[in-house]
Amino acid sequence: MALSEADLQLLSSGCREAKLVKGETILSAGSDASHIIYLRSGIAKEYHQQQGQQEHILQIVKGPTYLGLLSFSGDIVNHLSYSALSDVTICFIDREVFKSLLLNNGEFSSLILETVCKDSLNHYHNFVNQHQKNIHGKLADALLFLSKQIFESNEFILPLNRLEISFLIGTSRESVSKQIRTYEREGLLKIDGRKIIILDIDTLERISRFG
């Protein structure tokens, strides 16, 4: 365990828990980064949106994980926004308490560094995929990620609508809807509203690799 009993007591003294419902904002870009957010349970989207421009979803995250780490060192303004895609439980951890834990607990610091590196790699791969893959490969990637990393099942309820999926994979809503219908017609998926059942995961994985 990364945190000792003393660490947990310190963390408890600087931590406030909250429960949010689907659709609520967890953290807004431009706000004061006075706290680190710990997503204890639930699913959220990490995104960036400039005024007057469309949203760009960087990744979907599942608790337990930390949010807002990119703003921890350096300036004190949050650069990314997070919104709940399901009911979530979060903890607001005081910035100075979090800093103290990092300075005094090497194992905990290592775990946080791993989280930051993982997020950076996810952003890199998403960027590369959006520029190198066509709509077939992009959508296959997204569906496989949700199936394997978020829900751990071939049957799940899409946490994103068609427009949000287009923001995630860098295409149009119309292209997303058309490709989903194509996958269904080809027998790869079964669709019932937002319910997705992956029927042929092997073919979907091939499309992901070569798309």
Side-chain angles (χ1 to χ4, degrees):
M1 185 173 180
L3 297 178
S4 66
E5 186 64 33
D7 290 335
L8 290 173
Q9 290 179 3
L10 175 63
L11 184 61
S12 179
S13 69
C15 180
R16 177 172 61 86
E17 184 176 288
K19 295 183 183 295
L20 303 179
V21 300
K22 180 179 178 179
E24 285 195 85
T25 298
I26 299 172
L27 191 63
S28 297
S31 61
D32 181 20
S34 58
H35 293 78
I36 294 295
I37 308 297
Y38 181 66
L39 179 64
R40 177 166 286 177
S41 64
I43 303 169
K45 63 178 179 180
E46 177 186 86
Y47 65 98
H48 175 71
Q49 184 175 24
Q50 293 183 337
Q51 187 173 7
Q53 297 185 14
Q54 73 176 26
E55 180 180 294
H56 178 60
I57 299 178
L58 299 175
Q59 63 176 338
I60 308 302
V61 293
K62 175 184 177 182
T65 190
Y66 291 92
L67 311 178
L69 292 176
L70 293 178
S71 301
F72 177 72
S73 181
D75 63 48
I76 56 172
V77 175
N78 290 306
H79 293 278
L80 300 174
S81 298
Y82 296 86
S83 179
L85 292 176
S86 68
D87 292 352
V88 300
T89 300
I90 60 175
C91 294
F92 295 90
I93 305 172
D94 182 84
R95 184 186 179 95
E96 293 305 313
V97 168
F98 194 79
K99 183 177 181 180
S100 177
L101 292 173
L102 290 177
L103 291 173
N104 295 292
N105 187 320
E107 185 180 356
F108 180 68
S109 297
S110 178
L111 290 174
I112 296 303
L113 180 60
E114 287 178 11
T115 300
V116 172
C117 291
K118 179 181 176 182
D119 285 348
S120 296
L121 281 173
N122 284 339
H123 294 159
Y124 168 76
H125 287 302
N126 288 341
F127 175 82
V128 170
N129 288 342
Q130 285 194 17
H131 286 78
Q132 292 186 344
K133 292 189 176 183
N134 57 34
I135 177 62
H136 308 80
K138 293 177 182 180
L139 184 58
D141 284 349
L143 293 173
L144 289 169
F145 174 79
L146 291 170
S147 171
K148 295 181 178 183
Q149 303 298 322
I150 301 298
F151 296 103
E152 300 178 26
S153 171
N154 287 352
E155 182 176 334
F156 54 90
I157 303 297
L158 273 174
L160 306 169
N161 59 37
R162 300 294 194 266
L163 181 60
E164 288 174 313
I165 295 174
S166 75
F167 292 157
L168 176 65
I169 66 177
T171 188
S172 68
R173 176 173 55 186
E174 293 74 19
S175 294
V176 169
S177 297
K178 181 180 179 181
Q179 190 57 47
I180 287 178
R181 290 194 299 269
T182 298
Y183 282 165
E184 185 177 26
R185 187 172 61 251
E186 293 175 348
L188 276 65
L189 307 175
K190 180 178 180 182
I191 311 293
D192 183 9
R194 282 200 179 186
K195 183 177 182 180
I196 298 283
I197 302 175
I198 298 178
L199 301 174
D200 188 348
I201 197 165
D202 291 338
T203 298
L204 205 60
E205 286 175 341
R206 283 198 297 273
I207 293 171
S208 172
R209 286 197 300 271
F210 302 112

